[in-house]
Amino acid sequence: MAQTMLPAGTLTGKTAVVTGGGTGMGRGFATELARLGAHVVLAGRKEERLAAAADAIQSEGGQASYFATDIRDPEQVEALMNTAVERTGHLDILVNNAAGNFIVDSDKLSVNGWNSVVNTVLNGTFYCTRAAGLKMIEAGNGGKILSVVASYAWTGGPRTVHSVAAKAGVTAMTKTLGVEWAHHGIRVNAICPGPTDTEGARPLWADPEEEKRLRAKIPVGRFGTVEEMAQAASYLLSPYADFVNGEVFVIDGGEWLGKGLTS
Ligand code: HXC
């Protein structure tokens, strides 16, 4: 990372679980948290991706381990949080990054398709938040929880109704738990990335015409980078943001604001 906002050592001694940490934005979050000194525990379904990401972080001098987890299974989630505490003695940070979606007309979306996205994005985020939050409350040292949402949670997003509804739920959960768990010293926030150049999102604009169309919708004229999202996330997970709570931080080049009829 060429330029960094927070000094190395900011998160020394902290343990962070990052779901979906093997690839894309989750790997970016984990890399930056490790650079700041945290021990990161990468969670995700595919062990080989987790291992590769953990190796890369370790080769840069960071502390990383992994635990294969499907966040749709509360027992696996419980085992993930137990493992993080067993390995490091504590759990201080949770990043709810894992998600899944696909573009589909709502009248063609099956119940199973709805459930597969809602179970991952909304239920999986709750299972992780609950399991990590209970550990943080029990330990009595506070903690930080950060989820990843999308602006279609409040604008609506045709052809992604499953993800829209689930991200709206995560947004509401963030605000609710920010208030409810504040007295435990737990800060609950979210970031809301706009279109970001990751290997998962890139196929969406593989067609140059589609890329042009999408860029034109973003006032700053480009997609975001994983590093930009990781820096925003790290700030919210650092002591510098101890007075930020229940907040959703939008990082999208103004994309969601550009809805006026004259723009
Ligand atoms: C219609 C689909 C479908 C599709 C799955 N389903 N994909 N329906 N169109 N493209 C339906 C299936 O038919 C099935 O219903 C049900 O969903 C479950 O399918 P599974 O394959 O068994 O799902 P599962 O293994 O649970 O996979 C979850 C998933 C999958 C969400 C469906 O796509 C996934 O794991 N994705 C993770 C990666 C991902 O989503 N990447 C995008 C991130 S990038 P039936 O009724 O047939 O049984 C990103 C950037 C956005 O989000 C940027 C916006 C600008």
Side-chain angles (χ1 to χ4, degrees):
M1 195 172 294
Q3 279 197 318
T4 49
M5 189 166 68
L6 299 179
T10 299
L11 297 177
T12 295
K14 303 292 184 192
T15 300
V17 168
V18 181
T19 67
T23 53
M25 220 180 280
R27 181 167 167 168
F29 296 148
T31 302
E32 178 62 0
L33 293 175
R35 192 194 67 79
L36 294 173
H39 177 125
V40 291
V41 181
L42 312 178
R45 283 179 294 174
K46 299 198 171 122
E47 196 159 341
E48 64 281 4
R49 289 178 174 180
L50 299 173
D55 279 352
I57 291 170
Q58 285 165 1
S59 71
E60 289 174 16
Q63 300 174 78
S65 61
Y66 62 89
F67 190 79
T69 316
D70 184 339
I71 63 163
R72 293 175 289 193
D73 179 344
E75 287 182 8
Q76 290 186 38
V77 168
E78 191 71 30
L80 164 66
M81 304 307 169
N82 285 338
T83 300
V85 172
E86 279 160 22
R87 283 180 187 162
T88 67
H90 46 93
L91 173 57
D92 311 285
I93 291 169
L94 167 67
V95 182
N96 286 311
N97 164 76
N101 59 65
F102 49 87
I103 293 171
V104 61
D105 291 331
S106 297
D107 57 323
K108 299 195 175 62
L109 175 62
S110 68
V111 168
N112 206 20
W114 167 271
N115 284 338
S116 79
V117 172
V118 172
N119 280 338
T120 302
V121 176
L122 180 57
N123 295 342
T125 297
F126 175 70
Y127 301 152
C128 291
T129 301
R130 177 182 179 279
L134 290 178
K135 295 261 181 253
M136 292 170 185
I137 291 168
E138 189 189 351
N141 296 317
K144 302 261 169 47
I145 297 174
L146 187 80
S147 297
V148 180
V149 299
S151 61
Y152 56 33
W154 51 91
T155 63
R159 305 179 69 216
T160 50
V161 68
H162 40 21
S163 181
V164 168
K167 293 288 191 187
V170 173
T171 303
M173 186 162 65
T174 298
K175 292 169 188 287
T176 300
L177 295 182
V179 173
E180 206 174 321
W181 286 356
H183 71 103
H184 293 297
I186 300 173
R187 304 285 174 264
V188 187
N189 290 295
I191 64 165
C192 177
T196 303
D197 187 26
T198 65
E199 64 262 35
R202 216 166 286 145
L204 292 173
W205 50 77
D207 170 13
E209 279 307 307
E210 183 61 4
E211 179 178 355
K212 203 169 143 197
R213 189 186 72 80
L214 288 174
R215 276 176 185 266
K217 290 164 109 29
I218 306 167
V220 304
R222 64 170 176 86
F223 302 122
T225 67
V226 168
E227 288 75 16
E228 285 170 320
M229 303 309 150
Q231 295 206 4
S234 300
Y235 163 69
L236 289 170
L237 294 167
S238 79
Y240 298 104
D242 273 347
F243 206 50
V244 182
N245 188 30
E247 184 56 71
V248 179
F249 183 8
V250 181
I251 313 138
D252 73 344
E255 186 266 325
W256 91 270
L257 297 168
K259 301 262 177 218
L261 287 176
T262 56
S263 64

